[in-house]
Amino acid sequence: MFDIRPVGYVIGLLVAALGATMLLPLGVDLIAGNGEWIVFLQSGIVTVLGGSLIALACSNGVGEGLSIRQTFLLTTIVWLILPVFGALPLILGASGMTFTDAFFEAMSGLTTTGSTVMTGIGDLPDGLKLWRGVLQWLGGVGIIVVAMVFLPELRVGGMQIFRTESFDTMGKILPRAGEIASRISVIYLGLTAACAACYGLSGMGWLDAVTHAMTTVATGGFANYDTSFSGFSAGAEYVAAVFMILAALPFVRYVQLLAGTAQPMWRDRQIRGFFLTAFILVTVVSLWLVTRSENSFEYAFRKSLFNVVSILTGTGYASDDYMRWGAFPVVLFFFIGLIGGCAGSTACSIKIFRYQLLFASIKTQIERIHSPSGIFTPRYDGRTVSDDVLNSVMSFFFFFTVTLGVVAVALGMTGLDFITSVSGAATALGNIGPGLGSEIGPAGNFADLGATAKWILAITMLIGRLEVMAVFTILTVQFWRD
Amino acid sequence: MFDIRPVGYVIGLLVAALGATMLLPLGVDLIAGNGEWIVFLQSGIVTVLGGSLIALACSNGVGEGLSIRQTFLLTTIVWLILPVFGALPLILGASGMTFTDAFFEAMSGLTTTGSTVMTGIGDLPDGLKLWRGVLQWLGGVGIIVVAMVFLPELRVGGMQIFRTESFDTMGKILPRAGEIASRISVIYLGLTAACAACYGLSGMGWLDAVTHAMTTVATGGFANYDTSFSGFSAGAEYVAAVFMILAALPFVRYVQLLAGTAQPMWRDRQIRGFFLTAFILVTVVSLWLVTRSENSFEYAFRKSLFNVVSILTGTGYASDDYMRWGAFPVVLFFFIGLIGGCAGSTACSIKIFRYQLLFASIKTQIERIHSPSGIFTPRYDGRTVSDDVLNSVMSFFFFFTVTLGVVAVALGMTGLDFITSVSGAATALGNIGPGLGSEIGPAGNFADLGATAKWILAITMLIGRLEVMAVFTILTVQFWRD
Ligand SMILES: [K+]
Ligand SMILES: [K+]
């Protein structure tokens, strides 16, 4: 077996860093005069100590870098360990959750899924509300770095197509990850601050503004209220829509924009595809809502814009119970969730570029009919797409679908009905948040599911967040063979 | 544009042949003393005349063979024209159906889907019952020929992997199709006769035995009763299970078996995969049924065997309303329908060999992690799989899934709920028959759907039966460009 100490070392450091971020809710509760701050102190100490111990225990094995297999392991294990520590404040604090519920919630946070098992969130102490936001916010920036550095290197799900373009510094994985993380963090922080300010202007209190800014920019979807976004003003809905869209664009384009080159952003096929998709879907649903009842056009447009963008970007806020919009939107929203945003953002699910690549490949195959012996290669963004990329994308699509099926069947085995099982599997695998049906739909909650179903969903969130193949790869015999 | 006359010529001949088969129900009604025979005489004359006229009109363009594009067109148009004529007896006869309903029923028959819009089938004249069976029976043998000759030649959906093995005679498409059709027909007739005899022994009357033998061997699933198979004896259920399985195996193996070589059949990876899948699914569902209530093991096994095999092979009979078996079987049956039987049989849906190829491809990709620069090629049945095959299979899978989504959304737009829309799309695209839910489920019927939904489903059956890509190819601009 290969040396797992370098992996443990990095994980330990990240766990300790997670513990440090507990100072934020600690401070908020302290200032607000909530006794709850002690919970974050306890959790923080345990987490920082735990992380440091892990790092220390592994520090003698830290070499000059990570192999591909170590990188695979790191990527997966991080997202399995951090929720354990992230769950501590939820177990110890006012919410007093079981480990299963707390792990589900923390995993849902760190994977930016946003499905919740908590009710009465509005009455929780400020610190806990903020902590849910922090979990998603950290998960969001984490996944951007993973998507820009790790997954392309691991050739997972066709992400290798973004290998050369992300940054020119092709150094070792960890230094590069650090550099990218710091560059991205500026943009990420800026977007969050801008979003929070706009939310404040739209009428939200400061805590709601900050927490929702965090979960918006992370396309996470945790809200401070059981009714999600439906209690906020029309202005807040528009603000959310704009920032959900911004958060679903490839962050490398913002880096380039800051460096003064806007052209790559306008030319990006992912971005164009994303806007076209959003435009068509919002228009269709708006028209549906207008014709269906006596909604004003503004109302229909706003509800359509907010909820379509929320599901398309995988954020998962709901500003209305779209289970009541009739049969068509329900079916449509299921499939919108399987589209997803752009790669290299916080958005999740199958993602626009994979559809574009798959359609390009099919176009090539049809061209072969005219001249069967001719060589045609699919092109994407002006470059030819290698068979390696295409195979990865297709394997991703296949595995995503098969996993969705297996998870849905497993959920059905726990007693959930068809719409809950199938939409639950999709929402967890696509890191979207709400499912469909009366139980886990936009007006529902995951609280009443059985423990088995919750564990299945939590693991599915992890699988989905790491683009499916990363998790399955480390589960194979081949991976561990020397 | 290319010459479509050779296509029209073949289609005309096939239409005329369809008209000739109307002699069967005509004879049955005449002997039974039903006045209904006149309907088949009228329909037969119109069909034979219509077909002959088409053939005649195109006969001056018949050249030395069909180009790839002509073959594409032929394959699709045949399945669009035949249902129009096949619907005639349903419109003129005792069932007195609208054109929409009759076209749906005939398309459902000829594509061996088996979804029905007819009620009170048990009370129809014998001729009409038989005609539904004949439609499926002809569709079944038609699809075997298409799957063995046309689709491999057209490189559709990865079927080209079966190119060399089918037969050694690599002559022109049409003569080869004729030769294969005649060789297959012997086996097909033999299986049907054996099945009918066994049904007779199990207690069915002769008409039921013959009709159900036809729809069993075609994995079609039309039954002579509104309650499908639930009125028949336990023995009949076992007979059906055996023959549904036999009909879902690659027919080329039977040809080889008759030629004295059984080895290819035992070694066939598709067949092994199919039996393994069936074994696991039947066992799981049997255990579920046993633990769930006080069913005897034989009863649970029989109901599980019959209904699992029925959906897995895409036959679509139901011997029980499995919507009442609890949440798990409902979700499971949805995904079982997306597995399908073996290529080169009458079975439909995604099919075992595609899953095997896709898993082989993913295994190869994981092997690359150890040595990224190494060349690994997926293998299937002892041979390396070309990228061309793999791309076709993956495109098929992708397009199948996207089509399923689009059709489900379209059905949702007509007002159908989630389970009806999604399962309706799957059952039509996979040519299975029953959907899920109270409306189109195993105890339901497609009669009450709107006309739009019926047309959507009928076209989806066609798309699914021709392995998706064949239909979409002729809808592209590239296809028609000179
Ligand atoms: K989300
Ligand atoms: K069928």
Side-chain angles (χ1 to χ4, degrees), chain A residues 391 395, chain B residues 356-366 378 390 394:
Chain A
N391 282 341
S395 304
Chain B
Q356 291 174 324
L357 280 173
L358 289 165
F359 279 116
S361 158
I362 285 166
K363 194 170 154 243
T364 308
Q365 284 181 47
I366 290 173
L390 223 50
M394 287 170 156

Side-chain angles (χ1 to χ4, degrees), chain B residues 95 105 114-124 129 132 208 212 221-232 316-321 434 438-447:
Chain B
S95 51
E105 194 80 7
S115 307
T116 184
V117 289
M118 296 175 75
T119 49
I121 303 170
D123 302 326
L124 290 177
K129 290 182 191 170
R132 291 169 82 242
D208 281 350
H212 290 103
F222 270 159
N224 280 347
Y225 302 93
D226 294 355
T227 53
S228 189
F229 227 76
S230 54
F232 292 121
Y317 291 137
S319 75
D320 202 3
D321 182 5
S438 55
E439 183 151 17
I440 60 168
N445 187 287
F446 288 71

Side-chain angles (χ1 to χ4, degrees), chain B residues 112-114 136 218-221 313-316 348 431-433:
Chain B
T112 77
T113 304
Q136 292 210 317
T219 65
T313 60
T315 307
C348 18
N431 301 121
I432 302 160

Side-chain angles (χ1 to χ4, degrees), chain B residues 117-382:
Chain B
V117 289
M118 296 175 75
T119 49
I121 303 170
D123 302 326
L124 290 177
D126 291 355
L128 266 185
K129 290 182 191 170
L130 187 66
W131 180 238
R132 291 169 82 242
V134 168
L135 283 175
Q136 292 210 317
W137 196 73
L138 293 174
V141 73
I143 210 60
I144 299 176
V145 174
V146 165
M148 289 179 71
V149 185
F150 290 68
L151 298 178
E153 206 66 44
L154 301 178
R155 311 160 88 89
V156 158
M159 296 292 283
Q160 58 264 47
I161 200 172
F162 302 110
R163 241 177 140 177
T164 50
E165 76 171 9
S166 290
F167 279 92
D168 293 319
T169 51
M170 293 295 284
K172 295 254 181 255
I173 286 181
L174 286 179
R176 190 146 40 99
E179 193 199 323
I180 290 190
S182 69
R183 286 217 230 173
I184 291 293
S185 296
V186 177
I187 294 155
Y188 196 68
L189 255 171
L191 273 178
T192 311
C195 184
C198 292
Y199 277 146
L201 290 175
S202 82
M204 278 190 205
W206 79 267
L207 184 78
D208 281 350
V210 169
T211 313
H212 290 103
M214 282 176 159
T215 61
T216 302
V217 171
T219 65
F222 270 159
N224 280 347
Y225 302 93
D226 294 355
T227 53
S228 189
F229 227 76
S230 54
F232 292 121
S233 67
E237 284 187 76
Y238 284 115
V239 170
V242 168
F243 281 93
M244 288 192 278
I245 290 173
L246 290 177
L249 303 184
F251 272 64
V252 62
R253 300 294 171 232
Y254 295 124
V255 175
Q256 290 165 328
L257 202 66
L258 281 189
T261 48
Q263 221 185 25
M265 180 161 251
W266 309 134
R267 288 217 179 143
D268 191 310
R269 263 193 70 183
Q270 273 205 96
I271 295 181
R272 290 178 174 205
F274 175 74
F275 274 102
L276 182 68
T277 311
F279 175 77
I280 294 171
L281 292 171
V282 171
T283 307
V284 168
V285 175
S286 298
L287 291 176
W288 172 270
L289 286 178
V290 162
T291 54
R292 205 163 160 273
S293 61
E294 301 117 50
N295 297 314
S296 76
F297 186 78
E298 189 277 334
Y299 181 85
F301 170 73
R302 173 159 47 86
K303 290 297 170 193
S304 164
L305 175 75
F306 181 91
N307 292 286
V308 166
V309 164
S310 171
I311 299 301
L312 181 64
T313 60
T315 307
Y317 291 137
S319 75
D320 202 3
D321 182 5
Y322 44 75
M323 288 303 296
R324 298 178 178 198
W325 290 2
F328 166 61
V330 173
V331 181
L332 186 66
F333 273 73
F334 177 77
F335 291 101
I336 291 178
L338 297 180
I339 299 177
C342 303
S345 73
T346 59
C348 18
S349 196
I350 295 175
K351 299 194 185 75
I352 299 282
F353 85 99
R354 294 208 175 87
Y355 287 94
Q356 291 174 324
L357 280 173
L358 289 165
F359 279 116
S361 158
I362 285 166
K363 194 170 154 243
T364 308
Q365 284 181 47
I366 290 173
E367 274 165 358
R368 278 205 198 106
I369 295 164
H370 274 270
S371 31
S373 54
I375 306 287
F376 301 95
T377 337
R379 297 179 70 80
Y380 185 71
D381 243 353

Side-chain angles (χ1 to χ4, degrees), chain A residues 257-385:
Chain A
L257 201 65
L258 282 188
T261 47
Q263 218 185 25
M265 182 162 252
W266 308 135
R267 288 217 177 146
D268 191 310
R269 262 192 72 182
Q270 272 204 96
I271 296 181
R272 291 178 175 205
F274 175 73
F275 275 103
L276 182 67
T277 311
F279 175 77
I280 293 170
L281 292 171
V282 171
T283 307
V284 169
V285 175
S286 298
L287 292 176
W288 173 269
L289 286 178
V290 163
T291 52
R292 206 166 160 272
S293 60
E294 300 117 50
N295 297 312
S296 76
F297 187 78
E298 189 278 333
Y299 181 86
F301 170 74
R302 174 158 48 86
K303 291 296 171 194
S304 164
L305 175 75
F306 181 92
N307 292 287
V308 166
V309 164
S310 172
I311 298 301
L312 182 63
T313 61
T315 307
Y317 292 137
S319 74
D320 202 1
D321 182 4
Y322 45 74
M323 288 301 297
R324 296 177 181 199
W325 290 1
F328 166 60
V330 172
V331 182
L332 185 65
F333 273 76
F334 177 78
F335 291 101
I336 291 178
L338 297 180
I339 299 176
C342 302
S345 74
T346 61
C348 16
S349 197
I350 294 174
K351 298 194 184 73
I352 299 282
F353 84 100
R354 294 207 175 89
Y355 287 95
Q356 291 174 323
L357 280 173
L358 289 165
F359 279 116
S361 158
I362 286 166
K363 193 170 155 244
T364 308
Q365 285 182 47
I366 290 173
E367 275 165 357
R368 280 208 197 101
I369 294 165
H370 273 271
S371 32
S373 54
I375 306 288
F376 301 96
T377 338
R379 297 180 69 81
Y380 184 70
D381 243 352
R383 291 177 298 164
T384 56
V385 181

